[in-house]
Amino acid sequence: MPTHTFPRELRLLTPEHFKRVFAEPVRAASPQLTLLAVPNSLTHPRLGLAVPKKALKRAVWRNRLKRVVRESFRLKQHQLPAIDIVVIAKGGVREMDNEELFKLLEKLWRTLSRRCNG
C-alpha cells in the first residue's frame, strides 16, 4: 500500500529546480491557480509553491492555500507521473473554500497528468 506522506524528496527546494520548471512548462490553469510542470528524471513527482503577496496579502491566507495544496498533492502523488510541479496562486483563490479548492486541484492534477503522459 502506498504511503501518503510529504517528505523532503517530494519538494522543489532550490532556485534551480524552480527555474527548470519555469523554462518550458506544460501548463494547466484556471482563473485562481496555474500549475506548471516539466518531466523529471526521478520516479516520483515533486511540488513547489509560488504564492505571491500580491495575490494573497495576508500570511494566514497564503498559509491556508499552501496547506490545502500540499494536502491535495499528498493524496494524489501516487497517481501523478514523474514531473516537477509549481503551483502559482492568483487573486481569486482567496474567495474559494477548502472544498472548492480541493475540487479545482483535482481537476488540474488530472489535466497535468494527461498532458505530461500524452
Side-chain angles (χ1 to χ4, degrees):
M1 187 171 112
T3 59
H4 294 288
T5 59
F6 189 59
R8 194 172 171 87
E9 300 85 57
L10 296 180
R11 300 178 198 159
L12 296 179
L13 298 170
T14 66
E16 288 76 36
H17 293 160
F18 280 85
K19 281 181 192 155
R20 205 171 73 71
V21 176
F22 286 118
E24 287 187 38
V26 172
R27 185 177 304 250
S30 75
Q32 298 86 9
L33 294 172
T34 298
L35 274 63
L36 306 175
V38 293
N40 66 30
S41 57
L42 306 169
T43 59
H44 53 80
R46 294 189 299 180
L47 177 69
L49 298 166
V51 185
K53 282 185 185 177
K54 188 174 183 180
L56 295 166
K57 300 250 184 287
R58 299 193 173 190
V60 66
W61 299 338
R62 292 191 300 275
N63 292 339
R64 177 189 74 100
L65 176 67
K66 289 191 254 185
R67 271 195 309 275
V68 172
V69 172
R70 281 190 206 111
E71 179 66 7
S72 176
F73 176 80
R74 187 181 71 80
L75 296 171
K76 296 298 285 181
Q77 65 185 322
H78 299 291
Q79 296 159 23
L80 294 169
I83 54 177
D84 289 344
I85 305 165
V86 173
V87 177
I88 304 169
K90 298 185 207 168
V93 75
R94 187 170 90 78
E95 284 76 37
M96 299 177 79
D97 64 26
N98 290 359
E99 191 176 322
E100 290 173 313
L101 202 48
F102 262 103
K103 286 179 185 169
L104 175 62
L105 284 163
E106 178 80 27
K107 186 176 131 195
L108 293 172
W109 296 137
R110 276 196 312 270
T111 302
L112 266 188
S113 291
R114 270 197 319 271
R115 290 184 181 167
C116 288
N117 282 337

